[in-house]
Amino acid sequence: MASRPAVRIRAPGAVLVHHDCMLLTRLAEVSREVAATAARSRKTALLAELFREAEADDVPIVIPYLAGRLPQGRLGVGWKVLGRSVPPAAGPSLTVREVDARLTELGKVSGPGSQAERTRIVGELMGAATGDEQRFLLGLLTGEVRQGALDAVAVEGLARATGADPADVRRAVMLAGSLQTVAQALLADGPGALERFRLTVGRPVLPMLAHSASSVAEAVDRLGACAVEEKLDGIRVQVHRDGDTVRIHTRTLDDITDRLPEVSAAARRLPGERFILDGEVISFDAGGRPRSFQETAGRVGSRTDVAKAAAAVPVSPVFFDVLSVDGRDLLDLPLAERHARLTRLVPEPMRVRRTVASGAADIPEAERFLADTLARGHEGVVVKALDAPYSAGRRGASWLKVKPVHTLDLVVLAAEWGHGRRTGKLSNLHLGARDRDGAFTMLGKTFKGMTDAMLTWQTERLRELAVEDSGWGVRVRPELVVEIAYDGLQRSSRYPAGVTLRFARVIRYREDKRPEEADTVEALLAAHPEVGP
DNA sequence: TTCCGACAGTGGGGTCGCAAT
DNA sequence: ATTGCGACCCCACTATCGGAA
């Protein structure tokens, strides 16, 4: 860090000329401008301009801030701490480095009395910020910047600021697993620095993601020759082994090595010294059936007594891809070749089950595979083009997941006011099923699946049905029937039926149906015998 | 000119761990 | 001991921009 003192400009309206440290007010200004324009090209240009202004020491702060993230990651600061408002400062004085230093301090606070201490630090910071700066900081700390530009636009802006090829920057970010690292190297050494970012064992890369398809037939039609793999309902993991050292990362690249000793042990038993594997961690019961996602996730989330958790709910790694073997980067190889290498490294029981479909003629076989996979208790399948490379960090169109969808006709019991672009619209619906008394039992909420037109319509309709208007939304007469899609039931301690819908979303309103025709809790439970209340 | 891929936004539920009550 | 909060797992879907076709 530079030893020069922070520039302080006290007079409101002073001309913000500075050569040392970037002022927070400049970031807040750019963020506001970015939010105000819809054109992505203009957003990119605004970010690029700011990145060019940034000093070397500002870069690791400015880049993540404008990408809507904190360099420290999350800080244990939420609405509880941010809730109280603090009178804003008269004029801008904060530098981004000063803000960063205070947030770093904030992240270190722990132990009894920490909440008060965090509140004090946040209050002090907010008190030194102008109204605009406060709004920017609030968005940053709560993860809701709402400027319509996060990582992807920041990458574009970075490319433009440095003259690098955007595709090269994107790839470097995927391989580094971090925008900051790449940004710093790029701004310090220019586009040539991008070559330093290669796939490295021990350094996690962003995993490839999948799109959805509504059926196996549709997926095979779209992809042609493909692998159909079982989709396990567990936690995605990337396992790196370098000799005796094993590291395990989640989808967001968090390091969870210490929580999964049996996975590390399994990786050490494989016949290879250096590799990177992609797969899923899941728990099977004594009969070899997969346990619920809730059980697996609870186990993987346990940190305090790992040995005890592992004894109660042991997990197994099940792999489906290999990204690197013995120093060779396999990302650009087609899936067919990567899989051939996977079979040499990982024995069958530790691999995802699969079948291969060469084209439309194999659709019946692929459908049988899906049915069999579901019968064995799994979530569905992922259909993958055999000729596709591993697109790190992308939601490539070459992986398509297919899961069964259930539907119900439920009754709207209440609706909550939306935020952001849904401000002024009733958005989040409370959903109820009929119970034995002819009343309705709440099963969960959803805000998904509505078009803007539906939002407008339901806001008006639900207002007509309102029996109570509170700050958060309205409770309504239970008269409106809505068709809901969901992925299954899960146990719940929050809702009275002891279960709730997983991934509920609206398909359409059923104005042709009366609430007495809505589905019942009883029928729902009967349809999902695997989930007892 | 039209189509479609990629992104951002809008939140859902559960579980764990920590601090406050 | 219980409760509340934040982080981090899982996630679906729509609107929009801008390059591809």
Side-chain angles (χ1 to χ4, degrees):
Chain A
M1 282 289 188
S3 55
R4 279 176 293 188
V7 172
R8 288 177 170 276
I9 298 172
R10 287 287 175 201
V15 181
L16 302 177
V17 178
H18 54 92
H19 302 286
D20 309 7
C21 302
M22 185 166 285
L23 289 172
L24 180 66
T25 187
R26 178 79 179 104
L27 258 70
E29 176 192 68
V30 170
S31 180
R32 236 183 10 258
E33 281 183 71
V34 167
T37 174
R40 282 215 274 272
S41 48
R42 174 97 182 109
K43 290 179 195 281
T44 304
L46 286 164
L47 295 189
E49 201 185 322
L50 186 77
F51 295 160
R52 277 194 216 101
E53 288 170 30
E55 281 274 311
D57 288 342
D58 291 330
V59 168
I61 308 162
V62 169
I63 299 267
Y65 277 15
L66 266 293
R69 283 181 299 102
L70 292 164
Q72 292 90 351
R74 301 258 64 90
L75 291 171
V77 175
W79 289 109
K80 189 67 198 283
V81 170
L82 295 169
R84 70 195 65 194
S85 69
V86 175
S93 67
L94 285 167
T95 65
V96 294
R97 271 181 248 172
E98 208 174 318
V99 173
D100 183 60
R102 297 213 197 178
L103 292 182
T104 300
E105 183 194 350
L106 187 62
K108 287 185 187 146
V109 178
S110 69
S114 61
Q115 192 179 321
E117 177 64 3
R118 273 199 286 269
T119 306
R120 189 191 66 75
I121 295 174
V122 168
E124 214 176 87
L125 179 62
M126 287 299 184
T130 64
D132 282 338
E133 291 172 331
Q134 284 189 351
R135 276 186 285 280
F136 177 72
L137 285 172
L138 211 61
L140 201 55
L141 288 167
T142 56
E144 299 172 36
V145 289
R146 292 187 177 129
Q147 60 185 19
L150 298 177
D151 270 28
V153 183
V155 163
E156 288 289 325
L158 191 57
R160 191 170 308 180
T162 58
D165 180 342
D168 293 344
V169 180
R170 209 152 38 226
R171 185 177 169 88
V173 170
M174 301 315 167
L175 294 177
S178 148
L179 172 61
Q180 272 140 275
T181 318
V182 174
Q184 223 166 339
L186 199 49
L187 283 156
D189 304 327
L194 293 180
E195 282 177 35
R196 296 211 292 271
F197 296 97
R198 299 206 187 89
L199 185 63
T200 310
V201 177
R203 194 166 67 188
V205 298
L206 294 171
M208 182 167 174
L209 306 172
H211 274 294
S212 290
S214 54
S215 69
V216 167
E218 182 200 321
V220 175
D221 273 344
R222 273 162 65 180
L223 298 181
C226 55
V228 182
E229 300 179 346
E230 62 185 357
K231 186 178 192 303
L232 308 183
D233 200 3
I235 305 291
R236 181 85 175 264
V237 286
Q238 194 175 102
V239 176
H240 292 240
R241 174 177 164 187
D242 189 352
D244 284 336
T245 306
V246 174
R247 305 256 49 132
I248 308 167
H249 298 271
T250 64
R251 191 162 95 76
T252 49
L253 310 188
D254 272 23
D255 189 326
I256 53 167
T257 311
D258 295 342
R259 302 182 221 167
L260 303 175
E262 65 266 58
V263 176
S264 295
R268 283 197 196 91
R269 285 196 299 272
L270 295 178
E273 283 292 308
R274 300 180 70 218
F275 54 75
I276 305 173
L277 293 170
D278 190 0
E280 196 88 3
V281 152
I282 189 168
S283 178
F284 295 100
D285 66 19
R289 305 240 339 149
R291 291 185 215 255
S292 72
F293 172 76
Q294 285 167 302
E295 289 172 281
T296 294
R299 159 60 212 281
V300 175
S302 298
R303 281 163 288 186
T304 42
D305 192 344
V306 170
K308 192 175 155 203
V313 185
V315 293
S316 313
V318 189
F319 297 108
F320 48 72
D321 216 323
V322 56
L323 314 191
S324 169
V325 168
D326 294 329
R328 171 113 202 261
D329 172 350
L330 308 179
L331 294 178
D332 291 325
L333 290 184
L335 172 62
E337 286 182 45
R338 295 201 310 278
H339 188 262
R341 281 163 211 255
L342 181 71
T343 60
R344 275 181 250 148
L345 183 62
V346 179
E348 193 166 1
M350 223 187 285
R351 293 199 311 260
V352 148
R353 277 191 171 76
R354 77 203 292 260
T355 185
V356 168
S358 328
D362 293 330
I363 286 174
E365 164 59 23
E367 282 169 342
R368 272 195 297 278
F369 182 84
L370 170 60
D372 176 60
T373 300
L374 294 174
R376 293 182 34 255
H378 295 300
E379 200 186 357
V381 294
V382 184
V383 183
K384 301 177 175 176
L386 285 174
D387 59 0
Y390 190 93
S391 315
R394 319 300 305 256
R395 204 172 278 282
S398 42
W399 288 13
L400 298 172
K401 56 184 159 186
V402 180
K403 296 187 286 185
V405 175
H406 310 91
T407 62
L408 290 172
D409 290 325
L410 299 176
V411 174
V412 180
L413 305 177
E416 298 171 18
W417 294 111
H419 300 91
R421 72 184 297 280
R422 291 191 178 188
T423 300
K425 294 285 193 306
L426 286 168
S427 170
N428 200 8
L429 305 177
H430 295 200
L431 305 168
R434 272 194 304 139
D435 60 28
R436 276 204 209 85
D437 318 329
F440 296 94
T441 299
M442 185 169 173
L443 286 176
K445 307 181 191 179
T446 186
F447 58 92
K448 296 181 212 179
M450 300 106 161
T451 61
D452 287 358
M454 284 166 80
L455 280 167
T456 303
W457 181 86
Q458 81 182 15
T459 299
E460 215 160 291
R461 191 76 184 84
L462 291 168
R463 269 178 153 161
E464 289 166 14
L465 294 175
V467 291
E468 185 191 328
D469 198 335
S470 48
W472 54 267
V474 297
R475 285 200 311 129
V476 297
R477 293 200 302 276
E479 291 178 12
L480 209 49
V481 178
V482 63
E483 186 178 351
I484 297 292
Y486 66 105
D487 276 22
L489 278 194
Q490 54 188 349
R491 258 188 270 281
S492 170
S493 55
R494 175 179 315 211
Y495 292 109
V499 296
T500 187
L501 306 178
R502 197 173 181 201
F503 310 141
R505 59 267 190 194
V506 171
I507 297 180
R508 58 178 170 151
Y509 274 101
R510 293 296 307 260
E511 288 193 280
D512 55 317
K513 282 208 165 188
R514 289 174 294 120
E516 306 87 72
E517 299 173 274
D519 283 301
T520 63
V521 177
E522 257 181 316
L524 176 65
L525 292 174
H528 298 278
E530 73 280 5
V531 185

